[in-house]
Amino acid sequence: MTATPGPARSSERTTAATALLWLRPDLPRAQVRAHWSGMYGRLLGHTPGVREYRQHHFPADVTGLWPALDGVETEIPAHRQLDGTAEIVFETATSGMKSMRYNKLVAANEADLFTRSVLNNSRAHDGRIFGTGDDPTGSRALILLRRREDSHPTALQYLVHDLLGASFAGIPGITEVRTQVFGPFRKRLGDSPNVAHDYPPEHRFHGAIVLGARNRTSLRAALDSPVTAAPLLVEVIAAIHAYPVEATYTYGSDRDHTPPLELHRPLPAAAPHRSRAPMPGASAAPLPAARSIPLPGMGQEDVIADHRGHLLCGLASGHIVRHDPDTGETRMVAHTGGRPAGLRLLPAGTLLVCDSHRGLLRVDPTSGEIEVLSRPADGPATRFRSAAMTSDGTIWLTESAIASDFGQGTHAAPKGLRGRLLRRDLNGRIDIVLDDLHHAGGVSITPDRSALLYVETGSRRLSRLVLAGPNQGQTEPVLEDLPGFPDNLSDFVDGRAWLAIVGSHGTIRAIAIDPQGRVVDEIHGTHPQFHSATSAAESLDRLYLAGPRHSGLLELDLRSRSHE
């Protein structure tokens, strides 16, 4: 070797991959790029084992940035010109083998975007991220290197990491240097269906460099520096294709977003609704003695009771209000800046709030302070519906596509609306536990913390997920073909939780269930000032009903039934 390595620079060793990508030419370029940087990017960025996923988008017309070198191909042939690359940094050397289910979801979406894709994996720890300071990056180049057949792989490693990488990192104005040396190409690792993966040996690349600079002038100065004409390049390299990067998108560091919901993939068919016999375990009776509780607004989708018997609910205005049923006092305790819907009381007295506009929030009703915990990846197309926390701090929550007319008076069936059950750990990472749910709704954890009950509004079903014991992870329906659309499910109080059921106009219905999902009580009837409930909460022998079409709550005195 006849070249001197660059000055010693601190670098982090990584296990990484680079995918070479060609967009579909039959679709508008802007449309495909938007989908690539949108749902597809968020989905891949949430793949377990992926520390960071970055997309580098190239312009439609490319001129190679590397200076001409005798005997080295620096002009980019039009017939193999890329539209972009994907850069993946894994959490560990074995992370690439994690979660084949997610990889299949990513692969299924590739045909919507790409006509060809080629995945190049580095060997374990054969990537580098060099320390270059904290200045922002205003311009980038993605450099691909093809090794000569008669040169040794170790010569390429030295050239990419020690000569080019370290030298670039020491040039003023350079803000980012990342290097990779690829292992042998294995088509099966990126063999997604309905996408070409042809990669003949004469077109293969063996290494990559991401070079970032403060601006285009600094980038150009680095590419014109002496290191880009080092004699070793001619000895080792057959081709250098240096692409200008038009835009870079980074995913994976924003773990507070959920993985994107595949809104357009068909759901498995739900069981058809049948005419049904009366529900087992309880018999319907006229409504207990009732009174209306006015509130300073409409839109309350959920109601909960705190440890003092005070009621809390969110309004369409964004306010969360607390009401004392005994004194009649109502106070506004917080404003989320969005649309608070599902509420849950935490042991410390704070609230978990599923806000239709802002995501999952922690709200302190004493100070009004608000913390955003998680956001739906698909923005206005989806919303969190319900959340519950276990004693170890794990949050279970449901997310569904939006049914804009459900609960607003038309009571249209939320059919075909995808939903899922998610789990958020203490570090804020969100994983999908159950997918393909039919408009996932309320959730509640059993008093012994051994199971979680969850609602599928679209299929009129209540199911049970085992959280502990030998059957952990198993699910089973416990109530099916309910007489309406089940919505919110309350916390358990004295061994039972209430499930509100939205039915025909003017009908109020809710059922109480035990931890096994068996029906132990039911209210069903009509009221002149209250027509349908989306939530029910029990406190001090009284049942409180909420519905977004009403400007108040309905209180039912459960004790009055014993005198009838």
Side-chain angles (χ1 to χ4, degrees), residues 6 33 84 152 155-156 189 200 206 285 311 328 344 421 434 437 560:
R33 283 178 51 156
H152 198 275
L156 179 71
L189 295 179
H206 303 94
L311 309 176
R344 214 50 154 224
L421 177 67
L434 296 174
L437 301 183
S560 67

Side-chain angles (χ1 to χ4, degrees), residues 91-106:
E91 291 176 347
T92 68
T94 59
S95 292
M97 303 304 295
K98 286 186 179 181
S99 187
M100 294 307 293
R101 175 174 172 272
Y102 270 82
N103 293 341
K104 290 177 181 178
L105 287 176
V106 171

Side-chain angles (χ1 to χ4, degrees), residues 288-463:
R291 72 181 179 103
S292 297
I293 297 176
L295 294 176
M298 299 182 65
Q300 57 275 11
E301 296 187 26
D302 197 7
V303 59
I304 62 172
D306 66 17
H307 305 303
R308 296 175 295 174
H310 295 172
L311 309 176
L312 292 140
C313 58
L315 305 180
S317 62
H319 289 97
I320 296 174
V321 297
R322 176 191 283 128
H323 176 81
D324 185 339
D326 295 326
T327 65
E329 180 187 10
T330 301
R331 293 182 57 247
M332 295 183 182
V333 296
H335 192 284
T336 68
R339 174 70 167 85
L343 278 68
R344 214 50 154 224
L345 186 69
L346 299 179
T350 56
L351 303 174
L352 271 182
V353 178
C354 291
D355 190 288
S356 299
H357 299 163
R358 299 194 62 195
L360 181 67
L361 313 178
R362 183 172 13 232
V363 177
D364 186 336
T366 301
S367 66
E369 184 176 332
I370 294 171
E371 177 187 1
V372 179
L373 300 179
S374 300
R375 299 177 178 87
D378 294 286
T382 63
R383 56 170 279 195
F384 296 140
R385 294 194 66 199
S386 184
M389 180 184 285
T390 57
S391 56
D392 65 356
T394 300
I395 297 174
W396 297 80
L397 65 160
T398 53
E399 180 186 21
S400 286
I402 288 177
S404 59
D405 53 358
F406 182 62
Q408 301 299 320
T410 63
H411 303 298
K415 296 178 181 177
L417 293 174
R418 181 172 299 280
R420 57 194 179 181
L421 177 67
L422 308 171
R423 179 180 56 230
R424 181 187 187 276
D425 66 19
L426 286 172
N427 296 320
R429 170 127 192 172
I430 292 183
D431 293 313
I432 300 173
V433 179
L434 296 174
D435 208 350
D436 291 342
L437 301 183
H438 290 256
H439 200 50
V443 293
S444 190
I445 297 168
T446 59
D448 64 0
R449 307 301 182 189
S450 67
L452 177 140
L453 296 167
Y454 63 94
V455 170
E456 289 182 79
T457 303
S459 56
R460 305 187 181 197
R461 179 166 56 200
L462 176 71
S463 298

Side-chain angles (χ1 to χ4, degrees), residues 287-291 293 303 311 490 496-500 508-512 521-524 533 535-546 553-559 561:
L287 288 181
R291 72 181 179 103
I293 297 176
V303 59
L311 309 176
S490 76
R496 66 183 191 174
W498 282 90
L499 173 62
I508 300 169
R509 188 189 292 265
I511 59 173
D521 201 351
E522 179 178 8
I523 60 102
H524 182 203
S535 174
E538 184 175 355
S539 176
L540 304 176
D541 294 320
R542 291 175 284 191
L543 188 67
Y544 297 94
L545 305 177
L553 306 173
L554 188 67
E555 179 191 85
L556 304 179
D557 186 351
L558 299 179
R559 295 168 299 183
R561 294 185 298 179

